[in-house]
Every structure is written in C-alpha cells, then in structure tokens.
Amino acid sequence: MSKKILSNKDNLQVLYEDNHIIVVNKRAGDIVQGDKTGDKPLSDVVKEYIKAKYNKPGNVFLGTVHRLDRPTTGIIVFARTSKALPRLNKLFSEKKAHKTYWAVVNNKPPKNADTLVHWLKKNPKNNKSYAHLKELEGSKKAILHYKILKTLDNYVLIEINLETGRHHQIRSQLSSIGSIIKGDLKYGAKRSNKDASIHLHARQIQFEHPVSKEDINIIAPLPKDPVWDVCK
C-alpha cells in the first residue's frame, strides 16, 4: 500500500478563505471531525493553519458545517466565525448549498443520465447503507441525479448532484445499479486503491456567502493519480 499523504498545516489545500469562512480540498484519508480512531481531524489541521498564518494567540474558532467520508476527496467548508456558523448550518440544512460530485465507476450506468430514487437503510454494525426500491422501517428516501461525462478505457466518469444527503448515499445508490466506485471495497469493488482512497470527489460547490451575501462558486482540483488525470 502506498504511503498516504494526509493534510497538515503546511500542505493544506485552501481553495477559498476570508474572515468568515475557509474552504479546503480534503485529501483521501483526512477525517473531517474526530471519531473513535483518535486520528487528528481536518478541523484541527485547519485551526493550526489559521493560528500559524495569522499568528493568533489562544484558541482558534472553527465550525464544522458538513462532512465527507474518509476515503473521499474534495470540498469541505468551515466557518471561521460564530456569526457565519449558524448561517452556514441553515444554508446546508435547507439544501441551498449546491454540491456537485465526480465519481469514477467500473461499469457504465444503464442510462447516460438519470435520477435514482432509493430508500437507504443504515446498518451501524458494518457502517454501511443498503439501497432498497421500497420503503422499509427505519429507511430514508435518497434521491440523486447523474450524467455520464466521459468514457475511459476501463472506467466511466460520472457527475452527480444530490437532492438528499444520506449516509454513504452516492456509494450505495451507484453500487445498487452496478456502477461501483473505483476502490470502494465496502460497496463491491474488487480491488482497493493503493492509498485506500475511493474515486469519489466533491468537485464543486455554489452558495451564498453567509455574511457578504455574494455568490461563491468553488471548484476543487482533482487528486493526482493516473485515472483522475485522464478525467480532466
């Protein structure tokens, strides 16, 4: 397995930064918030970056607004002020932040573009969500829209827009139609990626700035690897 490069305060990929928000390009393996692994979360790394850059004494305020699965890459938005945090939380909870994802999958989906509707049920024991075509007790409705962007030699690049934000939604729904994300062993990939990543990338986000009200539109560069390189 190749050495995983995680984010630190010196190599942090900052995509946008002002007094109220900071947007970073998460690496595969970065964990957004602390969990039972005890690994340093990306939120702590961003705090260290801010503290060092602005020579801030004492504790640095940082609010986590949303998350990405550990093996995925791409855009994460943090609030830098207590003024911005509740406004960003509201923006995200009301689905007013428009996120676009790119995924590299092993099989071409049945249609070039489609809307997938499933009922997802999470199994906490294996931290996995299962997609069903009918509602089950404890399941949550999941809707996504996809379109094929490019057909590669062995894979297909697709773009995804979410209507709902469920646990492992993209991974589970794409797997259920036979289009498994490259490297995603949990959802049926035959092989893992060497760095334990999966080829799912939060590519773009558009939202209204919580304080200035200007339109923010950010695109996250793709990770450097041979498959992502041919997707550009």
Side-chain angles (χ1 to χ4, degrees):
M1 188 176 281
S2 66
K3 177 71 175 156
K4 212 187 290 183
I5 299 172
L6 300 178
S7 294
N8 59 53
K9 69 177 174 58
D10 299 315
N11 71 7
L12 190 67
Q13 300 175 79
V14 179
L15 302 174
Y16 178 92
E17 182 181 359
D18 65 22
N19 289 337
H20 291 284
I21 62 175
I22 182 166
V23 183
V24 302
N25 192 8
K26 177 179 123 48
R27 291 178 167 88
D30 287 342
I31 188 162
V32 177
Q33 276 186 304
D35 69 357
K36 61 180 185 288
T37 62
D39 294 343
K40 181 189 280 192
L42 188 58
S43 52
D44 281 4
V45 172
V46 176
K47 284 181 186 178
E48 289 174 358
Y49 162 85
I50 292 168
K51 193 176 179 71
K53 181 173 180 179
Y54 300 103
N55 199 17
K56 279 185 172 285
N59 293 329
V60 172
F61 178 90
L62 194 78
T64 303
V65 181
H66 64 121
R67 303 181 190 193
L68 280 177
D69 298 341
R70 189 165 192 165
T72 64
T73 55
I75 292 169
I76 288 283
V77 180
F78 293 100
R80 283 195 56 196
T81 62
S82 54
K83 187 177 184 178
L85 180 58
R87 296 179 184 187
L88 281 171
N89 283 337
K90 189 168 187 280
L91 204 77
F92 276 76
S93 67
E94 292 177 354
K95 305 287 184 286
K96 288 178 180 170
H98 300 288
K99 292 179 275 186
T100 302
Y101 295 81
W102 281 13
V104 175
V105 298
N106 64 340
N107 289 319
K108 191 173 182 178
K111 298 177 182 175
N112 287 335
D114 201 5
T115 296
L116 302 182
V117 181
H118 291 94
W119 294 89
L120 294 193
K121 188 157 184 181
K122 182 181 175 182
N123 181 341
K125 286 182 180 172
N126 62 2
N127 191 36
K128 187 173 174 182
S129 286
Y130 294 85
H132 303 273
L133 294 174
K134 292 180 180 176
E135 185 175 5
L136 303 176
E137 188 181 345
S139 64
K140 292 180 178 177
K141 195 173 190 180
I143 304 170
L144 67 74
H145 312 279
Y146 77 79
K147 66 178 179 183
I148 294 174
L149 294 182
K150 197 171 185 179
T151 302
L152 313 173
D153 287 345
N154 299 307
Y155 300 99
V156 179
L157 172 67
I158 60 176
E159 182 176 281
I160 300 118
N161 286 285
L162 290 178
E163 225 175 272
T164 54
R166 306 301 183 201
H167 174 262
H168 291 180
Q169 179 176 340
I170 296 173
R171 299 165 67 181
S172 177
Q173 286 195 277
L174 290 181
S175 173
S176 74
I177 62 166
S179 297
I180 298 161
I181 295 171
K182 183 180 183 305
D184 197 358
L185 287 181
K186 179 166 277 196
Y187 286 93
K190 292 192 172 77
R191 282 186 298 278
S192 61
N193 291 335
K194 287 180 181 176
D195 61 357
S197 70
I198 63 173
H199 276 67
L200 177 62
H201 182 68
R203 174 68 167 164
Q204 186 173 8
I205 193 164
Q206 295 165 285
F207 61 95
E208 183 183 87
H209 191 286
V211 180
S212 71
K213 305 301 180 191
E214 67 178 307
D215 288 331
I216 304 290
N217 184 8
I218 296 164
I219 294 176
L222 296 169
K224 289 178 172 59
D225 88 16
V227 175
W228 279 126
D229 287 348
V230 295
C231 293
K232 292 170 184 171

